[in-house]
Amino acid sequence: MESGYSYSFPATRGMQAGKPFYIAMCPMRIVPRIFTFDEEDVPPELRAQRKLNYQRIPAIARYLLDKPDGYIFSALTASVDSTVGFDPIANSGPSANLGMLSIPMDATILINDGQHRRAAIEEAVKENPDLGHDNIAVLFFVDEGLKRSQQMFVDLNMYQVRPDPSLITLYNHADQESAVASEIATNCEPFAGLTDLERSSLSKRSNKLFTLSSVKHANRTLLNKGRNDRFTDDEVDLAKRFWAVVGELLPFWKLVKRGELAASTVREEHIFSHGVVLQAMGIVGRYVIGHYPDDWWNRLAPLGAIDWSKSNTALWSGRAIQYGKVTKSKASMVLTVNGIKKQLGLELTPEEGRIEKEYQDERR
């Protein structure tokens, strides 16, 4: 809230590198008013932040608006270019670092970390003013000049690592698609016990065949879902049945689970556990289920006779394998689908046929 010629916040004082900093609770409704972000009119060498990516803001604002009773926002970090006041509630003891932080109203309060959250808060509060009564934590540092603010940005972001997509999927219980992927990966054959739930790339020594993120994408292609589409119970059951049928037709997965074959050997020598093939299998499954709803499982029977080895260059070279490596490009996805469909005796769609013709022309 405003007090006289200063902004006043209940705050806790701390020390880092011999300098004081303050943690305060700020009502969201005044965040856009008091926090400055130096935008496009300032060149990079004179800025203390990166440019705002406006494409990110709507998604963050929508997160706030869709989960008013369940959102979580981390603290903003800001620097103040002025002397601040701190009035502790006691002169000694633990309470000496609890009190009221006063910041002059004419001071510039510059966002060092969290500019997209700040912009999203502004948009969300416009649409839902009730959010303005919520608080967000703010770390205030006393500014020591532009170089210090720029160094703060580097220090705050240098060691940040975005969580792995598989781990995000595992922990994102609010997202139904992620929850379905986790359920299938942990309880459905052939994925149960063979899916890495934390990493989206497998090390050479990993005893897993799949990643949770690849299972998620494969389910999306199988059920023809967008990122925010809902899954019905029938669709989830259908996905489980489909993958169970596929698992029965590809015995290598069972051999790995029984310990008769190393997962690393299967991944090194075959392609069917790779993400591009799983997604392609989902597309093929969607086609078969849609065209043969009464016996789609029988239409998949030839899967067991396909040579999935990487050495089968006649089938996979230029499709799932480009320049000797399994690749995830859009063209590779379509050509892998085409290769599987041809082995199953299925017709190609017009678009698949066009890409297949280009592929065959290049190989002549």
Side-chain angles (χ1 to χ4, degrees):
M1 63 180 179
E2 298 179 13
S3 175
Y5 296 99
S6 299
Y7 295 109
S8 295
F9 307 94
T12 300
R13 178 173 56 188
M15 297 291 291
Q16 283 188 4
K19 302 178 180 67
F21 72 98
Y22 307 89
I23 304 173
M25 297 298 113
C26 179
M28 284 191 177
R29 66 182 180 277
I30 69 170
V31 164
R33 186 149 37 110
I34 67 173
F35 292 102
T36 301
F37 175 68
D38 47 348
E39 254 299 286
E40 286 88 346
D41 55 335
V42 183
E45 67 271 17
L46 298 180
R47 254 193 271 128
Q49 255 289 15
R50 61 187 142 199
K51 278 191 174 184
L52 206 62
N53 182 349
Y54 288 96
Q55 295 181 344
R56 291 182 56 193
I57 296 170
I60 303 173
R62 180 49 50 191
Y63 165 72
L64 279 173
L65 292 167
D66 289 346
K67 301 183 66 177
D69 299 320
Y71 73 87
I72 297 176
F73 254 20
S74 57
L76 306 177
T77 301
S79 55
V80 184
D81 70 347
S82 169
T83 301
V84 303
F86 184 73
D87 184 19
I89 62 176
N91 294 325
S92 61
S95 297
N97 287 316
L98 302 176
M100 295 297 293
L101 174 68
S102 298
I103 300 176
M105 293 180 65
D106 59 355
T108 297
I109 307 175
L110 183 68
I111 293 281
N112 297 107
D113 183 62
Q115 77 272 25
H116 292 93
R117 274 166 280 151
R118 173 215 172 275
I121 287 171
E122 182 174 9
E123 294 301 314
V125 170
K126 287 179 183 177
E127 187 168 337
N128 181 6
D130 288 342
L131 287 170
H133 300 291
D134 287 1
N135 295 317
I136 187 167
V138 182
L139 275 70
F140 288 102
F141 291 86
V142 178
D143 198 0
E144 297 178 0
L146 182 60
K147 287 186 177 180
R148 169 61 176 168
S149 292
Q150 291 175 334
Q151 188 62 50
M152 286 171 62
F153 172 76
V154 172
D155 292 347
L156 287 166
N157 288 277
M158 184 181 298
Y159 300 110
Q160 286 191 3
V161 178
R162 178 173 171 80
D164 191 284
S166 283
L167 194 60
I168 291 176
T169 298
L170 180 64
Y171 289 168
N172 192 2
H173 304 292
D175 175 52
Q176 191 201 25
E177 182 184 27
S178 295
V180 169
S182 296
E183 179 182 350
I184 289 177
T186 55
N187 298 310
C188 176
E189 300 292 346
F191 303 116
L194 296 178
T195 303
D196 193 313
L197 304 177
E198 297 186 48
R199 287 169 289 272
S200 295
S201 60
L202 301 176
S203 67
K204 290 184 178 181
R205 296 183 178 182
S206 174
N207 62 352
K208 307 297 183 183
L209 286 178
F210 315 101
T211 67
L212 182 55
S213 59
S214 66
V215 174
K216 178 179 179 179
H217 294 313
N219 286 332
R220 184 184 296 162
T221 60
L222 172 65
L223 299 175
N224 196 24
K225 294 293 185 179
R227 291 184 180 275
N228 297 315
D229 292 343
R230 301 290 297 175
F231 293 73
T232 66
D233 290 342
D234 287 343
E235 288 173 332
V236 175
D237 289 340
L238 177 61
K240 291 178 178 178
R241 289 171 55 206
F242 173 79
W243 293 119
V245 169
V246 172
E248 287 294 323
L249 293 170
L250 301 179
F252 282 103
W253 296 352
K254 290 184 178 180
L255 295 176
V256 173
K257 185 170 291 189
R258 292 200 298 260
E260 298 177 21
L261 193 62
S264 58
T265 300
V266 173
R267 294 196 312 273
E268 183 177 352
E269 297 179 357
H270 299 81
I271 68 167
F272 52 66
S273 65
H274 288 264
V276 63
V277 178
L278 280 184
Q279 291 183 56
M281 199 82 76
I283 294 174
V284 172
R286 184 173 77 223
Y287 179 90
V288 171
I289 293 170
H291 286 76
Y292 308 99
D294 295 328
D295 68 337
W296 58 263
W297 48 91
N298 291 326
R299 302 285 176 166
L300 296 174
L303 286 175
I306 296 177
D307 180 0
W308 298 93
S309 63
K310 294 179 181 178
S311 60
N312 184 10
T313 55
L315 179 55
W316 303 121
S317 179
R319 296 184 189 275
I321 298 176
Q322 299 279 358
Y323 306 106
K325 294 183 178 181
V326 177
T327 180
K328 297 181 180 179
S329 70
K330 183 177 180 180
S332 293
M333 175 75 69
V334 177
L335 289 170
T336 301
V337 169
N338 291 356
I340 297 173
K341 274 190 166 186
K342 292 173 74 173
Q343 296 296 307
L344 299 184
L346 302 174
E347 292 185 6
L348 305 183
T349 66
E351 178 63 13
E352 291 167 348
R354 181 188 66 80
I355 295 176
E356 182 67 21
K357 183 177 183 303
E358 293 177 353
Y359 166 75
Q360 296 295 346
D361 290 343
E362 290 178 358
R363 291 176 66 87
R364 290 193 180 98

